[in-house]
Amino acid sequence: MKQLWFILCLTLAGGCFFAERAPLFFVAPVLILAAFCFLLWGKKANALYPVAALAVFVFASTGLQSVEAPPVRATVRGVVMVSKENYYDLRLSPFKKVRVFSEANPAMGERMAVRGLTMKPEAPRNPGGFDGRHYALSHGIKATLRPTKEEMLPERGGAIEKLYACRGRFRKKGAAICESYFPPKEAKLLSAMLFGNDADWEGLEDFRTLNVIHILSISGLHIGLILALLSGALKKLTVPYDVRKISVHGLLLAYLFLTGFPVGGMRVWLSLLFTDVGKRLWRPVDPNYALGFSAAIFLLVNPFYIYRLGFLFSFFSVYGILNIYPKLPILGSERGKAVQALGVSVAVSLA
């Protein structure tokens, strides 16, 4: 039972991984045969795994073909959900967006109509190089446009526009607060981690030199601190347990929306949500089980998350702490505090 979510993660990731490495006419019969074997001779519930792998394989193959389509002229309308110096994203649906390469820099929450030519994602120039297809699919980018005409549409005052406008104000206010109280480099780092703003990567060479740049990708510690502070404050106010938990998770979800749903933060929130539900049902949850559940939710939403370094760093780092660190012969959990700290770092690096 404890391996259910872990096996589901492997099947979902495997279906996506092999979508561009094996033909459908070979994979489909193998997975269908495996499903029938489970139905006839094994545990019937296990037939779900090959069926899920096949569904993800077809979904991923379709996605890869769509990004390889030749450039066409297109017109899109949507709400600005992210606005940077050189591009902005238009929201098409909860999980799909169009990226517009432009210096217009519209405010978040504005409604835009854009006409232009779609761009084919950049292919890796060398083995292991940047793959534009994987980047676009893992970030939910349906198409990228080089605009020939951009038009700001009249405001309709809808809920979506107000939510993204609130996100924009939250980020600007957060950046201003950080710049007021911290030196420039630290201000940009804290602004990126706490408010979802862009990090000045050129100013973070120390992190690269020390090989700890992954800390920025697995940033989730502050989510736990926020949860602890909110829970402690509501407990002091003698709020009932169920109301307290629902309020804390609701407020945290709102914070994650404002910061752009970072992978590390969502991992922490999903794991704690799963754990709290287990406690409420008087069924203690194993940390590995909660971690597997969190990863499975990510992959069910978008299996191309396996190509996002933030996703890999975040989940494998925690997996290393939970499963590699306790088994280290010299640096394991049975040693002193200083050795334990070193052991955690080694376990994360190994994972």
Side-chain angles (χ1 to χ4, degrees):
M1 182 64 179
K2 289 185 178 181
Q3 300 298 321
L4 184 151
W5 293 109
F6 180 71
I7 297 174
L8 181 60
C9 288
L10 290 179
T11 57
L12 296 174
C16 183
F17 181 80
F18 286 105
E20 56 183 328
R21 294 172 173 83
L24 180 62
F25 67 82
F26 171 77
V27 173
V30 172
L31 294 177
I32 292 173
L33 178 62
F36 273 111
C37 289
F38 282 123
L39 287 173
L40 295 176
W41 296 295
K43 292 183 179 180
K44 292 181 172 56
N46 290 341
L48 170 67
Y49 298 128
V51 172
L54 179 60
V56 170
F57 185 94
V58 174
F59 171 82
S61 299
T62 304
L64 288 165
Q65 291 175 4
S66 67
V67 297
E68 290 292 341
V72 296
R73 296 197 176 276
T75 301
V76 295
R77 297 188 177 197
V79 177
V80 178
M81 57 185 298
V82 174
S83 184
K84 310 289 186 181
E85 291 184 1
N86 300 316
Y87 71 86
Y88 58 90
D89 293 339
L90 295 180
R91 180 185 185 275
L92 298 183
S93 69
F95 304 113
K96 290 295 180 183
K97 58 189 176 185
V98 169
R99 177 154 294 179
V100 182
F101 284 102
S102 166
E103 297 181 359
N105 197 22
M108 293 187 199
E110 297 284 355
R111 295 178 63 245
M112 299 286 293
V114 182
R115 182 185 304 167
L117 190 67
T118 60
M119 301 170 59
K120 198 171 182 180
E122 178 184 351
R125 299 179 182 179
N126 295 296
F130 174 76
D131 192 327
R133 300 171 307 159
H134 293 164
Y135 179 88
L137 291 168
S138 65
H139 285 78
I141 301 173
K142 187 176 182 180
T144 56
L145 283 179
R146 187 71 71 179
T148 56
K149 183 179 179 181
E150 299 170 272
E151 181 183 0
M152 188 176 296
L153 299 176
E155 293 185 9
R156 294 191 304 187
I160 299 298
E161 289 93 331
K162 291 180 180 179
L163 284 172
Y164 285 108
C166 182
R167 174 191 281 183
R169 291 192 296 269
F170 173 80
R171 291 187 175 185
K172 286 183 179 179
K173 184 65 175 177
I177 292 173
C178 291
E179 291 171 1
S180 299
Y181 292 98
F182 297 95
K185 183 186 293 187
E186 287 76 5
K188 291 180 178 179
L189 178 59
L190 288 173
S191 181
M193 295 179 69
L194 298 179
F195 300 99
N197 291 309
D198 278 344
D200 182 11
W201 299 107
E202 293 182 359
L204 301 177
E205 288 302 321
D206 291 343
F207 283 84
R208 296 185 184 277
T209 303
L210 295 172
N211 198 28
V212 292
I213 197 72
H214 63 274
I215 289 176
L216 304 182
S217 299
I218 65 174
S219 171
L221 176 61
H222 64 287
I223 302 296
L225 295 176
I226 292 172
L227 267 177
L229 291 172
L230 288 174
S231 183
L234 292 174
K235 193 173 182 180
K236 289 288 185 181
L237 297 174
T238 65
V239 177
Y241 178 83
D242 289 342
V243 177
R244 184 169 75 242
K245 288 297 182 182
I246 293 173
S247 301
V248 166
H249 284 286
L251 290 171
L252 183 57
L253 185 60
Y255 170 75
L256 290 170
F257 166 78
L258 293 173
T259 54
F261 296 115
V263 173
M266 288 299 295
R267 170 186 56 77
V268 173
W269 178 70
L270 285 169
S271 297
L272 291 175
L273 178 65
F274 190 70
T275 301
D276 284 340
V277 171
K279 288 180 179 178
R280 188 64 185 84
L281 298 175
W282 300 99
R283 298 181 64 180
V285 176
D286 182 271
N288 278 298
Y289 204 58
L291 182 68
F293 166 80
S294 182
I297 295 299
F298 272 93
L299 296 177
L300 284 170
V301 170
N302 184 0
F304 284 101
Y305 264 104
I306 64 171
Y307 294 111
R308 288 183 67 164
L309 292 181
F311 174 84
L312 298 177
F313 278 136
S314 184
F315 283 92
F316 277 104
S317 296
V318 178
Y319 183 85
I321 294 171
L322 293 176
N323 297 280
I324 298 177
Y325 162 64
K327 299 177 182 178
L328 292 176
I330 301 176
L331 306 173
S333 56
E334 301 295 328
R335 305 292 176 177
K337 296 296 182 183
V339 178
Q340 288 179 13
L342 180 60
V344 168
S345 179
V346 170
V348 169
S349 298
L350 288 173

